[in-house]
Amino acid sequence: MRTYAITGAALLALTLLSYGVSRLDLGGAEMPVAMAIATVKVGLVAVYFMHLRHAPAGERLFALSGLVMYVVLFGIAATDVFLRRTTGFLPQ
Amino acid sequence: MTPTTERHAGESYLGGERTLRSWLTTRDHKRIGLMFLIATSLFLFVGGLFALLLRLELLAPRETLMGPMTYNRMFTAHGVVMVWLFMIPAIPSGFGNFLLPLMIGANDVAFPRLNLASFYIYVAGAVVALFGLFMGGADTGWTFYVPYSAQTATAVVPVLIGVFILGWSSIVTGVNFIATVHTMRAKGLQWMQMPLFVWAIYGTSVIQVLATPVLGLVLLLIGMEHLFDWGIFDPRRGGDPVIFQHLFWFYSHPAVYIMVLPAMGVISEVVCAFSRKNPLSYQAIVIATVGITFFGFLAWGHHMFTAGMSTFAAGSFGILSMVVAIFSAIKVFTWTGTLYQGSISLKAPLLYVLAFLFLFVFGGMTGVAVATMSLDVHWHDTYFVVAHFHFIMVGGTLTAFLAAVHYWFPKVTGRNYPETWGVAMAVLVFIGFNVTFVPQFLLGNLGMPRRYYDYPESMQWLHVISTGGSWLLGIALLTTVLYLAWSLRHGAVATDNPWHSAGFEWRTASPPPPYNFPGSPALHRGAYDYTGQEPPEGPAALP
Amino acid sequence: MIPASADLMRDVLFLPEAASRQARDIDALHFWVISATMLGALAVGLTALVFLVKYRRMGDRPRPTRFIALPVKYELAMAGLLLGLFLAWWFVGYRQMIALQRAPEGALEIYVTGKQWMWKFASADGPDTVGVLVVPAARPVRLLITARDVVHSFFVPALRVKQDAIPGRYTSLSFTIDRPGSFPVYCAEYCGLSHSRMWATLVALPPEEYQRWLEGAVPPAVGEAGGNADIAGGRLGEREAISIAQRGEQQAARYGCLACHTVDGQPHIGPTWRGLFGSERVLVTGQRLVADAAYLTQSMMRPMEDLVAGYPPVMPTYQGQMEPADVAAIVEYIKSLRHDAGRAP
Amino acid sequence: MAEHAAHFESLARQQTAARFAMWVFLASELLLFAGLFFLYMCYRLYWPAAFASGVGHNHALLGTVNTIVLITASITVAMGLRKLQHGAPRAAFRLVATTVLLAGLFLVVKLTEYGVHIDEGILPGGRGRYFAEGALPGEAAFFTLYWLTTGLHAIHVTVGAGVLLVMAWRIRRGTLRAAQLELGALYWHLVDAIWIFLWPLYYLTGGAPK
């Protein structure tokens, strides 16, 4: 119960932090900071609430696999989308 | 050898309750597997019929049998039926269902009710998709490229919804099989002792679970685009059709491995059983299976080399495609080496394996060729690519499917098929296949684009040969169905292990009893152990 | 590979004639790859056959076999060697791919627009055409390809080139045809009802004939291509009375560009177009770039992205409102207003 | 009730299998959203200004309230599960029921927000007054993705809440095993995790507040 309370408090604190930070003018750092906080939060949910901490290897493997597929899709496709200089009418 | 089937007749999964109701409400993985096999085979013939009609239209340039509208709908129907109603479910949901529990010494899959649900989801998806295909029919090709698929006036939406539903069947079966392999293995059966077919189905299931939802979503998005014109991919509103292609191929390239991995699993089993040998390297095949499962996800962009991708992305996808090909090469090498110093019996299943080896190597190597970027620029969207993927899917998956049908026919039905017919049709399939698709490589070189019902006259004679081959292939498949149907009633009653195979699935009666193994299964000898004096025979003695 | 054997291979493989240096380079790689492919398949098939014959079972009694396991490292070594071969192909293929995309200096730029179900061609100084693309032989040509409606693909088998025509975007393709001739062009990406008939002809003319074509004559090769029964849809477009730059001027007026941009060198709400093309621009971000065709089209589609310092951010986007051909025409018009216009490019 | 299915050798094994399958299914569910997140990334890259403007237009406060609601719901369901495991069904029932109520609250807030959007003339596909009155190009894409992503997520919230409602009822009747509640809780945490990413993408990252 204590673990859940601490985790919960941390999540709520991070939520407020994320909201607070978004009211500042961070410019280009805004998105990375927001995503970093979100990642930490999801990590807390997965490890403590979803018991990944004590989960058997198989469950960890599949928890990870979803994540890996995100990295694959975003990582490789981004090399096209970012380097292509986009959809515009760009005869390059 | 005593015909043990008589002994177990009352106990077999086919016996007991024989009413239609008992089949439709069954939770026995063997009955569900058999229903999948029957349904998918039916669709093989539906899709095959479309293929024959398409080939007939292509016998001569210009409009002959059908106009462009009919032709466009028909090649879409051919693609949709063959990919989603036959190729993807046939071996995993059919043979996978039947064999997976038997091969890991389990009573059933982990979630039998879910398994039955998967079958009904499949049927529902098939009905919706076919409804769309016949009531108007989509004319987008199975790739549903935007913006065309969002604009066409044909019945795209029911087809999309049908495929979406089929995707759920695929996911549910995948989840079920993964859980089964992880949690239902017989006591003491380690991962590195599992039959290779199980590894193949496992890898397939992982792809099904992780790739299919992406396709499902993107199909829904096109559906909405078609119905409501929301402009998600519409360039006039700043959308990007190439993003659709990325998302589509993120599923559909791994989907190629959904079709091919199980076929590879079949080949691994049949090669060992008919050469009475352990695989040349069990580890190598496992490594290759896992490698294909993972790297298969990284190569999708080679379908888009001419789509104006960034050169860097194209190059990356090119390299990754080469890496995937290597894993297939490892498997081919291992299968061929397995024959070395074997005790080879040349039966129909092994003939299909030989056909597979030859066709798959050629198909796979042309795959490496089309992954070579500058060459693909010429071949992309031509008959060369059509021939290449038919070599993989028909020359690979279909021959493996036929090998599986013949190898496990006694297991599933308790009868033998007529060997002479089997051998004859295997040869005819091989010949018919080559006559059909080798000319298509040459047509591709000539520059014949795919999805053309019309073409310059100079290309005609190659089309004529190809069409002739398609009829040979059609005849061979039809004959196969006829003699298999005949042997259901009139085939010789099979022994429990007619091939003297060491495979785990043969260590129970043929056909197996409802809960597979009387008592706990005897898996103390490896699934590829042919070194002993007598191979395991019949229901293994309990320890 | 010596030329004679290359021609032989081309015949064996049913490849059409190769009309450019790049096409012949690609063919050379093609021959290596396809030969290795066939040899590989044959080697595996034959090995399997040999084993089959040598180790076939006599009688029906199965005999036990030896346990033979090859250590994985040998398999991986074999795979490594093969990967080396594949990567060599990839390396060559990648370089050729880059060469296909790189536009040579002084290339003749032609705008290609695919629409259901025809190809339209427009260049700066020649007449617009439908279904017949006329280019000079022995001079680099760069195609800027787009589509009006759905995805098409511009495919010239004789040049071994293909490039998707994507609505909302320009893709490009470069080639230099060796010698005069006419070559079929197909649409390779399925685009609906008459996809199978979306054909055109590429006509390469000798330089002097090309010059006459620019001046208004229709050389026989072009006329033939237009009337070729095999390549239906190949017909000459209505000869435009005005050049593409003139059309750009009309379109600029029609879309209201000239309300904010002057053509006489005076800055107005937006920068003047006189001397704009090829000049260096300083953005609000401090970044500097050259106003080339890419920058100009980008500015029309996404004006807010690369704002030039000193002007209010008021330009509306024309994404989806202007036809690609009009965009091209306006770019050509701005090009014609550069300070050195009239001199050799 | 404590009987396990005939094909499993023990209840423990059946429960292991079920939880494992749930994880596999969650990985699959996670990827259902991948396409939408991917579209967001691409289009945000194409239309940075429009996306910032769109995010700025959404109600950051409502979104944050909803985030807190969902996270609290995650805490209560996790605690409810622990209570049930420790044989305190009454406390477990209260906590799970709270989760369902919080899910309801989330949906109410979300629907209110949808109502505001409809009033402002922001509909999917760039329909409505807001876009007619000169929104930035690309804002239509932003709001279409907004509707699709939050809509799909809301469907998941509804399903998760429905499942937990049935489970709460069964806890009260004493017919639910902790292992079964765990499956529902896992699903619920996933719904929460997806929202944790949705929230900054659609409510917070709008650049400097005006």
Side-chain angles (χ1 to χ4, degrees), chain B residues 139 276 278 280 306-307 311 315 334 341-342 344 365 374 377-381 445 452-454 532 534, chain C residues 13 16 30 37 55 57 61 63-66 68 70 75 96 101 162-164 166 187 189-190 196-197:
Chain B
D139 69 336
R276 309 200 60 72
N278 61 304
L280 186 64
T306 65
T311 320
T334 310
Q341 292 209 351
I344 302 170
M365 291 286 279
S374 59
V377 169
H378 179 59
W379 285 328
H380 181 74
D381 273 338
N445 277 347
Y452 267 28
Y453 81 100
D454 187 10
E534 260 310 293
Chain C
L13 294 172
H30 182 159
T37 302
Y55 303 115
R57 187 185 303 173
R61 286 305 295 171
R63 73 176 165 77
T65 54
R66 274 197 315 135
I68 304 173
L70 192 68
E75 296 241 2
Q96 291 180 345
Q101 290 177 343
K162 181 184 290 126
Q163 181 66 56
D164 286 7
I166 298 165
C187 173
E189 183 61 63
Y190 175 69
S196 322
R197 301 289 297 181

Side-chain angles (χ1 to χ4, degrees), chain C residues 16-341:
Chain C
E17 56 180 331
S20 72
R21 172 79 203 272
Q22 284 170 338
R24 281 190 302 275
D25 287 349
I26 290 174
D27 280 358
L29 179 62
H30 182 159
F31 302 150
W32 282 109
V33 170
I34 219 69
S35 311
T37 302
M38 287 193 284
L39 284 178
L42 269 181
V44 170
L46 285 180
T47 313
L49 270 182
V50 167
F51 286 161
L52 194 74
V53 174
K54 195 158 173 212
Y55 303 115
R56 70 189 180 283
R57 187 185 303 173
M58 300 296 185
D60 209 32
R61 286 305 295 171
R63 73 176 165 77
T65 54
R66 274 197 315 135
F67 179 86
I68 304 173
L70 192 68
V72 180
K73 61 182 175 191
Y74 292 110
E75 296 241 2
L76 293 182
M78 183 278 312
L81 283 179
L82 206 52
L83 186 62
L85 176 67
F86 291 173
L87 288 182
W89 294 349
W90 171 85
F91 182 72
V92 179
Y94 190 46
R95 291 189 48 152
Q96 291 180 345
M97 179 87 168
I98 291 171
L100 281 180
Q101 290 177 343
R102 185 180 295 138
E105 286 293 312
L108 172 69
E109 291 196 345
I110 299 178
Y111 291 89
V112 179
T113 310
K115 66 183 283 281
Q116 286 167 332
W117 292 273
M118 59 179 75
W119 292 105
K120 294 170 93 169
F121 307 98
S123 66
D125 14 53
D128 286 9
T129 53
V130 172
V132 183
L133 169 57
V134 183
V135 298
R139 181 175 160 194
V141 175
R142 178 165 188 234
L143 302 181
L144 296 165
I145 304 167
T146 189
R148 283 261 308 265
D149 34 37
V150 300
V151 180
H152 303 276
S153 191
F154 187 83
F155 176 30
V156 191
L159 298 174
R160 314 287 187 268
V161 293
K162 181 184 290 126
Q163 181 66 56
D164 286 7
I166 298 165
R169 181 193 304 178
Y170 276 106
T171 50
S172 84
L173 190 62
S174 308
F175 53 81
T176 309
I177 300 183
D178 292 317
R179 61 203 145 72
S182 82
F183 313 98
V185 174
Y186 304 105
C187 173
E189 183 61 63
Y190 175 69
C191 58
L193 189 69
S194 296
H195 166 60
S196 322
R197 301 289 297 181
M198 190 170 160
W199 301 347
T201 311
L202 168 60
V203 178
L205 295 176
E208 58 282 7
E209 265 195 71
Y210 182 74
Q211 199 53 42
R212 281 205 292 282
W213 149 261
L214 290 184
E215 285 155 8
V218 178
V222 179
E224 271 167 36
N228 188 343
D230 206 16
I231 309 293
R235 60 181 189 278
L236 285 179
E238 289 295 304
R239 193 173 176 83
E240 299 267 338
I242 52 171
S243 76
I244 189 167
Q246 282 169 307
R247 201 172 80 207
E249 189 175 2
Q250 290 175 353
Q251 297 302 333
R254 191 183 132 212
Y255 286 108
C257 310
L258 301 178
C260 299
H261 300 276
T262 66
V263 294
D264 57 3
Q266 293 301 314
H268 190 40
I269 299 170
T272 181
W273 283 357
R274 163 95 27 207
L276 172 62
F277 192 88
S279 68
E280 194 182 60
R281 315 299 294 170
V282 182
L283 305 185
V284 282
T285 56
Q287 195 190 345
R288 285 159 183 278
L289 49 77
V290 173
D292 52 5
Y295 168 77
L296 293 176
T297 43
Q298 162 91 345
S299 300
M300 283 183 244
M301 298 310 129
R302 302 164 182 284
M304 295 305 142
E305 268 170 37
D306 291 334
L307 278 173
V308 173
Y311 293 94
V314 291
M315 176 159 161
T317 175
Y318 288 91
Q319 174 106 39
Q321 298 173 27
M322 239 184 233
E323 282 189 16
D326 295 341
V327 177
I330 293 175
V331 170
E332 285 300 331
Y333 174 51
I334 297 176
K335 216 189 259 183
S336 74
L337 292 171
R338 75 199 131 158
H339 291 308
D340 60 354

Side-chain angles (χ1 to χ4, degrees), chain D residues 103-123:
Chain D
L105 181 62
F106 175 90
L107 288 173
V108 168
V109 174
K110 196 81 214 94
L111 287 176
T112 316
E113 225 187 311
Y114 283 152
V116 173
H117 279 121
I118 293 171
D119 277 349
E120 290 173 336
I122 299 177
L123 296 169

Side-chain angles (χ1 to χ4, degrees), chain B residues 66-84:
Chain B
M66 56 183 100
M69 197 63 203
T70 317
Y71 183 87
N72 293 347
R73 288 169 173 173
M74 197 163 282
F75 77 66
T76 305
H78 169 68
V80 168
V81 168
M82 282 301 199
V83 169
W84 278 299

Side-chain angles (χ1 to χ4, degrees), chain B residues 47-61:
Chain B
L49 186 67
F50 289 141
L52 290 179
L53 291 171
L54 291 171
R55 283 303 333 157
L56 202 59
E57 159 61 34
L58 289 168
L59 204 52

